[in-house]
Amino acid sequence: MARLHLGLILPNYGDALDAERLAVAAVTAEEAGLDSGWVTDHVLVPPEHASVYGTIAESLVVLGFLAGRTQTLELGVSALVVPQRNPLVALKQLTTLDFLSGGRVVTAVAAGWMEGEFATLGASFEERGRLLDEWLDAAAAVFDQMPGLVRWDGKLLLSFEGWLAPALVRPGGPELWVAGVSRATLRRAAKTGVWHPVALPPDELRPMAAELRERRPDARVVLRIGVSFAPEPHPGRDERGRHAIAGPPEWIAERLAEYADAGCNGFVVNLEHDRPGLEERIVRFVEEVRPRATTPRQ
């Protein structure tokens, strides 16, 4: 049985944003034995979303910063909104980060949901799904062709030829996960092999994980979920009001075990990244929750 993948949401956004606090959280996660550290992606949000995402350090720049402060921790974005970016620049950035980090970059990608941000950035909200679909195919083809001249003859939105080097460090290129909770997300995850749902309760995740594995039996499921320590169990909610887990360590471990039984292969946990004491919560999670969590299904 493969062990659970355990990752951590890092504090690259929120009023408590601080460069050294961000780096210390990543180093603490690495030293505690977590597998990965994840940043959140937004660029220029409308005023109505500023209370949550207005103060944010750009995700791919942050990965470069953290690559220089860590040695073994995988570094990712949960989730990179490719369609609101220049898709070819995003490819170059990811392959450069692969090179600079020694092959430790992994990213979840998403079509995006914040229409106002697309408008601000001059990107098409209506075409976002089609662009992401083609970008995933183009990325796979480009990773196979590197280093050197790469070509993609897109049928819809992308078509290009150019030189892309240096060579990739990670075989096959940066690992691409697909974030979201829609049927289109499952279709995309069947291409890449990893589905990254956010905040789904177990009874909703189970049938979707089963549907994914009907499409691709070897697919992995790594859930992003808020986790809060509390003396007694209570209904958890994250900063956007979504499902989360809140309670004592043994309760949290039992809930993660339920998810593993529902089809999860791992978790990216948000341990209240914006509150003081994050480093202590990281250590507590590793020492008191991880040993109680069961191994996932293959």
Side-chain angles (χ1 to χ4, degrees), residues 147-195:
L149 186 65
V150 299
R151 297 184 180 89
W152 175 255
D153 266 335
K155 305 302 180 187
L156 298 172
L157 302 169
L158 294 177
S159 186
F160 56 87
E161 177 180 284
W163 200 270
L164 197 55
L168 294 165
V169 176
R170 184 190 289 241
E175 193 171 74
L176 300 177
W177 301 5
V178 178
V181 295
S182 67
R183 289 296 182 275
T185 297
L186 294 183
R187 173 176 49 77
R188 295 177 188 125
K191 290 183 180 182
T192 70
V194 188
W195 178 39

Side-chain angles (χ1 to χ4, degrees), residues 96-206:
T96 299
L97 286 167
D98 172 84
F99 169 70
L100 295 175
S101 69
R104 291 187 286 128
V105 167
V106 52
T107 189
V109 297
W113 58 273
M114 195 182 290
E115 186 171 0
E117 187 171 24
F118 275 74
T120 299
L121 297 173
S124 172
F125 190 73
E126 292 74 20
E127 294 282 3
R128 69 194 190 283
R130 294 205 309 160
L131 178 58
L132 182 58
D133 286 335
E134 187 164 350
W135 184 88
L136 286 169
D137 292 335
V142 164
F143 293 163
D144 283 343
Q145 296 172 55
M146 290 179 65
L149 186 65
V150 299
R151 297 184 180 89
W152 175 255
D153 266 335
K155 305 302 180 187
L156 298 172
L157 302 169
L158 294 177
S159 186
F160 56 87
E161 177 180 284
W163 200 270
L164 197 55
L168 294 165
V169 176
R170 184 190 289 241
E175 193 171 74
L176 300 177
W177 301 5
V178 178
V181 295
S182 67
R183 289 296 182 275
T185 297
L186 294 183
R187 173 176 49 77
R188 295 177 188 125
K191 290 183 180 182
T192 70
V194 188
W195 178 39
H196 184 51
V198 181
L200 280 182
D203 58 348
E204 294 181 28
L205 183 142
R206 185 186 299 274

Side-chain angles (χ1 to χ4, degrees), residues 25-39:
V27 171
T28 301
E30 179 174 81
E31 292 177 346
L34 291 178
D35 298 297
S36 56
W38 297 79
V39 298

Side-chain angles (χ1 to χ4, degrees), residues 47-99:
E48 62 267 25
H49 296 292
S51 62
V52 178
Y53 298 119
T55 301
I56 188 166
E58 199 280 328
S59 59
L60 296 177
V61 173
V62 171
L63 293 195
F65 168 67
L66 294 177
R69 298 291 294 266
T70 56
Q71 300 295 321
T72 60
L73 192 72
E74 285 193 322
L75 299 167
V77 184
S78 175
L80 188 70
V81 185
V82 171
Q84 70 181 18
R85 297 168 172 268
N86 181 306
L88 302 186
V89 174
L91 269 180
K92 180 64 175 181
Q93 289 171 313
L94 289 172
T95 58
T96 299
L97 286 167
D98 172 84
F99 169 70

